[in-house]
Amino acid sequence: MGFQCLKIESKDPRLDGIDSLSGTEIPLHYICKLATHAIHLVVFHERSGNYLWHGHLRLKEHIDRKFVPFQKLQFGRYPGAFDRPELQQVTVDGLEVLIPKDPMHFVEEVPHSRFIECRYKEARAFFQQYLDDNTVEAVAFRKSAKELLQLAAKTLNKLGVPFWLSSGTCLGWYRQCNIIPYSKDVDLGIFIQDYKSDIILAFQDAGLPLKHKFGKVEDSLELSFQGKDDVKLDVFFFYEETDHMWNGGTQAKTGKKFKYLFPKFTLCWTEFVDMKVHVPCETLEYIEANYGKTWKIPVKTWDWKRSPPNVQPNGIWPISEWDEVIQLY
């Protein structure tokens, strides 16, 4: 029809894994132009967490940089992940086309859609150096932790509370694309402004009773829930200051308070244990704040009051507040 077209392909990330690096190319973008108009066709691919993904619009060497004003294209500056939209048929200018049933939801997802892959190449190198733990206990723990994470995600998504993988769960994703088998819990972060008073009830309704509640909404809130098979879910609430973020810790027997400082970060999507979840986009800075420069080396004995390089004492809770700020169940 007289259009000039450009096709952008790349390796299929879904075929990448700890054991394999596939070379299969898939189409990501088509850009077709006719006179002064261009059509940008973004190819959405299905991923295993029942969501849609599109790739990065990366220009290979031989591509004419002046083909279209690439910087004006809204999609493809980086990969993106979206909920799978239900579609509806509408007629526009006499043409029957499909659009999302909830167009606003789709439009609102766009600015927050940035997606980062798990680092399979580095994970492979990690497992060459430190053999993977495939004992019966480790396999069972990973299965329970995965189920707990999926249940927590379902619960928080239903409440409309955004969360991300934090602490050891985030380290496991970044370092080895998996749950660390000796970690014994699942760690999530939530910005305090996203806190909702019915979070505790929602988790309890999902079969996750409250194990402890430390701090209060104004200061150092953290919640811990008991999953099955002795795996617990720790939820840390993050507070924003002008130049950093922090979350709090409380020592139950002394009332001592601790503060963990992080450089500011934003949230990106990734895929972890077959689901679409958030992680800090600035993952390396986040992990180095929490675990130092030696985060690549597994450490099995971890003291949350002393080990993290970003921990600092933060005073002590007044005894008159203990009933409110130190609740153990």
Side-chain angles (χ1 to χ4, degrees):
M1 294 180 71
F3 280 87
Q4 277 177 287
C5 286
L6 185 64
K7 178 184 186 183
I8 311 274
E9 289 185 309
S10 185
K11 287 192 176 30
D12 189 342
R14 297 167 299 182
L15 301 175
D16 204 348
I18 293 290
D19 311 315
S20 65
L21 188 57
S22 156
T24 312
E25 296 261 316
I26 51 171
L28 299 180
H29 298 267
Y30 294 90
I31 297 163
C32 296
K33 68 171 184 177
L34 185 62
T36 56
H37 288 78
I39 294 169
H40 180 192
L41 180 69
V42 184
V43 185
F44 279 71
H45 296 270
E46 294 181 50
R47 299 275 295 233
S48 63
N50 192 32
Y51 64 95
L52 301 178
W53 167 92
H54 71 75
H56 184 182
L57 178 55
R58 197 177 268 131
L59 301 178
K60 305 236 166 90
E61 313 299 74
H62 62 275
I63 286 175
D64 172 13
R65 296 296 193 271
K66 296 194 175 67
F67 185 75
V68 292
F70 286 101
Q71 68 285 356
K72 289 191 179 161
L73 300 179
Q74 186 168 18
F75 283 89
R77 199 159 291 167
Y78 33 71
F82 289 79
D83 294 335
R84 169 193 292 282
E86 271 190 69
L87 301 177
Q88 59 173 338
Q89 200 167 35
V90 294
T91 306
V92 179
D93 293 342
L95 279 175
E96 287 197 348
V97 293
L98 291 170
I99 63 165
K101 253 194 182 137
D102 184 352
M104 270 324 289
H105 177 69
F106 183 79
V107 168
E108 282 162 5
E109 280 185 287
V110 176
H112 310 289
S113 61
R114 188 173 169 194
F115 182 93
I116 45 186
E117 295 290 348
C118 148
R119 305 165 344 123
Y120 281 116
K121 200 165 118 225
E122 289 83 354
R124 274 197 291 278
F126 175 82
F127 286 125
Q128 275 162 4
Q129 195 173 354
Y130 306 97
L131 291 181
D132 198 5
D133 183 351
N134 284 319
T135 55
V136 176
E137 296 77 27
V139 170
F141 169 73
R142 279 196 173 129
K143 182 173 181 288
S144 303
K146 174 180 173 174
E147 286 167 7
L148 178 59
L149 179 57
Q150 287 173 333
L151 181 58
K154 195 172 139 190
T155 307
L156 290 168
N157 291 342
K158 208 154 61 179
L159 281 175
V161 172
F163 68 92
W164 65 91
L165 306 182
S166 191
S167 308
T169 309
C170 185
L171 176 63
W173 167 76
Y174 192 70
R175 185 174 71 188
Q176 55 214 70
C177 295
N178 209 334
I179 289 163
I180 299 174
Y182 52 83
S183 57
K184 299 294 165 255
D185 54 18
V186 169
D187 303 304
L188 301 181
I190 294 176
F191 291 123
I192 194 65
Q193 59 269 29
D194 293 320
Y195 171 80
K196 289 189 176 163
S197 53
D198 43 1
I199 284 181
I200 294 173
L201 196 58
F203 275 120
Q204 289 179 327
D205 288 346
L208 300 172
L210 186 62
K211 195 172 190 285
H212 71 236
K213 176 183 180 217
F214 294 155
K216 49 188 176 177
V217 176
E218 306 78 56
D219 182 10
S220 307
L221 183 65
E222 63 170 290
L223 302 173
S224 184
F225 298 92
Q226 188 60 59
K228 63 180 200 347
D229 306 323
D230 238 13
V231 184
K232 66 182 181 32
L233 172 71
D234 289 333
V235 181
F236 303 101
F237 288 87
F238 280 65
Y239 297 77
E240 191 170 347
E241 306 293 339
T242 42
D243 60 346
H244 67 278
M245 316 262 200
W246 63 276
N247 74 291
T250 295
Q251 187 178 26
K253 58 177 189 285
T254 61
K256 279 185 186 165
K257 297 166 67 184
F258 299 88
K259 201 173 199 180
Y260 301 86
L261 306 186
F262 291 85
K264 288 207 159 177
F265 57 89
T266 51
L267 297 181
C268 280
W269 292 111
T270 191
E271 185 175 307
F272 186 58
V273 297
D274 299 328
M275 51 196 285
K276 163 175 162 280
V277 288
H278 276 130
V279 287
C281 304
E282 301 74 14
T283 326
L284 183 59
E285 292 78 1
Y286 188 85
I287 281 172
E288 284 187 348
N290 216 178
Y291 296 101
K293 298 271 185 201
T294 56
W295 57 269
K296 286 184 181 168
I297 302 163
V299 175
K300 293 194 178 177
T301 49
W302 187 257
D303 175 357
W304 61 270
K305 297 179 295 302
R306 280 193 275 281
S307 303
N310 64 337
V311 67
Q312 56 182 49
N314 191 27
I316 189 159
W317 291 108
I319 288 188
S320 58
E321 290 186 31
W322 280 27
D323 283 352
E324 181 199 350
V325 298
I326 301 174
Q327 299 181 18
L328 299 160
Y329 297 92

